[in-house]
Amino acid sequence: MSKEGGAKIRSAVFTKVAAGEMLYAFLYEERSREEFNVGCQIYDIDETRSIPGVEVERLFGNPASRDNSLGSGNIMLSWRKNAPLDNSRFEYAYFPAGGLEVILSGMSGIRFITEKSTRLH
């Protein structure tokens, strides 16, 4: 557990081979005086196949509340108020190799983020 800006943070990273591909899961918990957050980020690094945004929306039963896709083949969708499974935030992103996002982040592939935030006061 570490402390950052008054918040207590615990995290762990796990790997799993699924369908012959290595997946990475980053689990975290952050607690401050005002808020408690738990989250999970799953990465399929260097994945060359994207999941079409409309398919992700269909799987979760509602449209994304924000589409930050920048073109060049990338997809960045986020759900806030209408996040699946009563989460506070859900995001899906696909970054194709060679895109600007990959140059900036160093990662291509698929990323899912889900997070639940609870106000403590």
Side-chain angles (χ1 to χ4, degrees):
M1 183 177 298
S2 67
K3 289 186 178 184
E4 186 174 305
K8 295 179 181 178
I9 302 170
R10 294 191 315 177
S11 62
V13 177
F14 300 92
T15 58
K16 172 83 174 170
V17 176
E21 298 186 33
M22 180 65 75
L23 301 177
Y24 299 85
F26 173 62
L27 305 174
Y28 57 93
E29 174 185 289
E30 177 182 17
R31 182 184 299 266
S32 68
R33 289 183 181 160
E34 301 84 28
E35 195 169 55
F36 177 67
N37 299 313
V38 292
C40 176
Q41 299 182 20
I42 298 175
Y43 296 88
D44 188 351
I45 297 173
D46 297 328
E47 176 58 62
T48 59
R49 300 163 294 168
S50 70
I51 303 170
V54 294
E55 182 65 17
V56 177
E57 290 177 328
R58 187 188 68 73
L59 287 170
F60 292 115
N62 53 30
S65 55
R66 188 169 203 176
D67 184 343
N68 292 328
S69 302
L70 301 173
S72 70
N74 82 326
I75 301 169
M76 294 177 65
L77 301 173
S78 63
W79 289 256
R80 297 286 175 157
K81 294 179 182 176
N82 59 345
L85 305 174
D86 195 33
N87 288 312
S88 302
R89 173 174 75 125
F90 183 85
E91 294 180 5
Y92 164 70
Y94 171 71
F95 303 113
L100 176 61
E101 303 81 15
V102 176
I103 294 168
L104 296 174
S105 71
M107 187 204 93
S108 64
I110 291 177
R111 176 187 74 202
F112 287 99
I113 298 174
T114 186
E115 187 174 89
K116 178 71 174 179
S117 299
T118 304
R119 300 286 301 167
L120 297 176
H121 300 287

